[in-house]
Amino acid sequence: QFLHRLSFVTVTSSLLRRPSWLPSQLAFSSAALKNLDWGWFQSKLEAETSSDEQLHALEELHLLSAKGFTEAHVLLGQAYEMGQGVDVDTAMALRLFAAASAQGSGKAKFLLGCLFMENEVTSGLATDTRASPIMLALQDIYGMDTRDELMEENNRQTEAIRLWKEAALLQEPSALVALGNAHFRGDA
């Protein structure tokens, strides 16, 4: 499980109280968390400049991710993939998308497939050793044998298409478009 490796968040006494910027339902019950406005977190992550609200949103998303919330995995994965308030970390994005994918998130399956198809994993593999963060993430997610198979570009493309098909079955709109484009190009 990758969650124990998240070292970003340290719980301080200020995080144990409900900050004024945090939606009030987050401080109360886990049942209310299911109805949380994830768009609020996304808007803070997509801000042009780093802000206190962005930092707070990241801290809370790390806490929610550690509690197993699928959407928190997805939003944090996107933040690490694009460097929104954090340094770009493809290995962490892989782990977060894989965790959400395992929980049945079509969006995470689509985004994980994109990492393989758009050569973000490929560029990391070209310069990384077998002990690199990307290689270790792939090994944790897929196992040693499959990790070695993913060293070949055709296998990464096949994995991306497989993930997009799973996401399409879950009615993820972006996956349907990506799969259609892959068929048009003759990739699928």
Side-chain angles (χ1 to χ4, degrees), residues 21-23 37-58 61 75 79 84-85:
W21 55 266
L22 187 63
D37 179 15
W38 294 104
W40 180 88
F41 287 101
Q42 189 164 2
S43 69
K44 298 305 172 196
L45 293 178
E46 292 174 351
E48 292 293 321
T49 59
S50 183
S51 67
D52 287 341
E53 283 188 341
Q54 187 181 53
L55 179 62
H56 290 304
L58 284 166
L61 282 172
L75 288 172
Q84 295 174 322

